Amino acid sequence: MAEIALNVVPLFALILLGWLLVRTGYLQSSIGDALGDFVFRVAVPVLLFRTIAEATFTGEAPWRIWVAYFSGVAVTWTIAHLTATLVFRRDRRLGVLAGVSSAFANTVFIGLPLVANIIGKDGLVAISVLLSVHLPVMMVAGTLMMELAERREGIRPPQSVIAVLIGLCRSLARNPLVIGLVCGGLFHLGGVPLQGPAKIVVDQIALIASPAALISVGMALVKYGIRGNVAPAMTMSLFKLFLLPASVYVACRLVGLAPDWTAAMVLTAAVPTGVNAWLLANHFNVGHGLASSTITLTTMAGALSVSFWTWLLVF
C-alpha cells in the first residue's frame, strides 16, 4: 500500500493543490482556465505526438484496445441510462447525460499522467492508441443520442444526422489532440527520427504536460461543485469508478489484451469523469447539476478508487 501511495497520492495531491490555489484566492480561476487551455492546445498534443512518433507497438493490434475499452463503455452507459430513466424517473435527455457522466473518463488531464506514472512507456502508448479514437467516438455517440432523445421528448426541432456529423467532423479536424496524434502517426510511419534541438524542445514541453494538467483540473474543480441531482450523481459516480473499469477489465481479458495494456485501459477507465460531460450538458442546456456533481464526486473519491485498481492490477 505504501508503494501504491507513492504512485497515486502525488497525482491527486497536485489536483488538490490546484483547487487550493483558487479556493484560497491565491490565484484567480481565470489563470486555471488559461493553464488548462495551454495543456489542451500545446502540452498534451506535443506529448501525444512524441509518444506515437517514438512508439514501439510490439505486435499488439489497436483494435483490441478499442474493442475492449468501448465494450466496457457500452455496458456502463446502458446501465447508467436505464438507471436514470427507470429508477430515478428522469427523462431521456438526463438518461443520455447520465450515460456520458458514468462512461466518459478524464483521459487527457488525469488518465495520461496516471498511466505514464504507474505503467510507464508501454502504458502511454496504449492510452495514446485509445485517445486516437476516444474523443470522436464519445462525442459523436453523446451528441447523436442527445439529438435522438430531444426528438423523442419533443423538446426542440432536432438537427439532421448529416448536419450533426459534419459539425463534429469540422470540430475534430481542428482539435489539437487529433492534430498531435496525426502528426505523430505520420512521423512514425515515415520513420523520421526525433533528434537534436527539436527533440530537446519536444521533451521539455512533454514534461510539462502531466503536472500542469493535474493542477489545472484542481483549479477548474472550484467552478463545478455539487449542484443537484445528488442521488443520481452518487450512483453515476459509483458506475464511473467501479462498473466501468470492471467492465473494461473483463473485456480486456476476453480479447486477450497484454497485461500492461490491460492495466493501462482499466486505470484509464477508473479515473474521474471528464469535463466533456459538463460541455455536453452546457451545449444542450440540460443536466448541469448531474454533470457538475458527478465530476466533483468522482474527483473527490478518485484517489481511493484508483488506488484500489492499481493494487488489483499492478502490485
Side-chain angles (χ1 to χ4, degrees):
M1 291 304 295
E3 194 169 353
I4 293 173
L6 287 174
N7 282 277
V8 175
V9 171
L11 302 179
F12 284 86
L14 287 173
I15 296 175
L16 177 61
L17 173 62
W19 182 81
L20 288 172
L21 288 173
V22 175
R23 192 70 181 84
T24 60
Y26 187 75
L27 292 178
Q28 298 297 315
S29 59
S30 58
I31 296 176
D33 294 337
L35 179 60
D37 206 33
F38 169 78
V39 169
F40 182 77
R41 293 179 177 274
V42 180
V44 168
V46 170
L47 173 61
L48 294 174
F49 164 77
R50 185 190 69 174
T51 301
I52 296 298
E54 299 180 340
T56 302
F57 292 100
T58 63
E60 282 286 1
W63 71 265
R64 293 178 184 271
I65 280 184
W66 299 332
V67 169
Y69 190 85
F70 288 112
S71 294
V73 166
V75 169
T76 305
W77 191 320
T78 301
I79 292 175
H81 183 99
L82 294 175
T83 301
T85 55
L86 300 180
V87 177
F88 292 107
R89 302 295 182 183
R90 301 303 196 268
D91 66 18
R92 293 181 180 90
R93 295 186 305 156
L94 262 295
V96 173
L97 196 62
V100 173
S101 299
S102 64
F104 208 139
N106 196 331
T107 52
V108 174
F109 287 84
I110 302 180
L112 272 171
L114 177 71
V115 170
N117 191 48
I118 294 177
I119 308 300
K121 188 175 181 179
D122 287 343
L124 198 54
V125 171
I127 192 173
S128 297
V129 170
L130 173 65
L131 283 172
S132 67
V133 298
H134 181 264
L135 183 64
V137 169
M138 295 299 288
M139 290 305 293
V140 167
T143 302
L144 290 178
M145 290 185 69
M146 190 66 80
E147 289 283 348
L148 180 60
E150 288 196 335
R151 178 179 300 179
R152 290 180 174 176
E153 295 289 340
I155 303 299
R156 64 177 181 180
Q159 290 181 291
S160 69
V161 172
I162 299 299
V164 171
L165 290 176
I166 290 174
L168 284 170
C169 288
R170 287 175 177 171
S171 177
L172 290 170
R174 299 190 297 267
N175 189 288
L177 304 180
V178 175
I179 294 171
L181 287 164
V182 170
C183 291
L186 293 174
F187 263 69
H188 183 83
L189 292 173
V192 181
L194 276 176
Q195 55 188 3
K199 167 72 171 172
I200 295 173
V201 171
V202 168
D203 285 346
Q204 291 296 317
I205 296 176
L207 285 172
I208 299 172
S210 292
L214 293 166
I215 291 172
S216 69
V217 167
M219 297 177 80
L221 199 60
V222 174
K223 66 183 178 184
Y224 294 120
I226 300 174
R227 301 184 178 182
N229 280 300
V230 176
M234 291 179 67
T235 304
M236 299 311 128
S237 297
L238 288 173
F239 289 165
K240 175 65 201 69
L241 298 177
F242 295 101
L243 177 60
L244 178 59
S247 301
V248 170
Y249 175 75
V250 171
C252 287
R253 295 298 299 271
L254 290 175
V255 301
L257 205 62
D260 281 350
W261 286 38
T262 295
M265 290 302 96
V266 175
L267 289 178
T268 300
V271 302
T273 298
V275 297
N276 300 82
W278 169 264
L279 296 178
L280 196 65
N282 209 41
H283 179 73
F284 286 96
N285 194 31
V286 61
H288 296 82
L290 176 60
S292 174
S293 298
T294 305
I295 291 170
T296 302
L297 289 169
T298 54
T299 305
M300 289 170 59
L304 293 176
S305 63
V306 167
S307 296
F308 166 76
W309 289 107
T310 302
W311 168 78
L312 192 66
L313 292 163
V314 181
F315 294 100

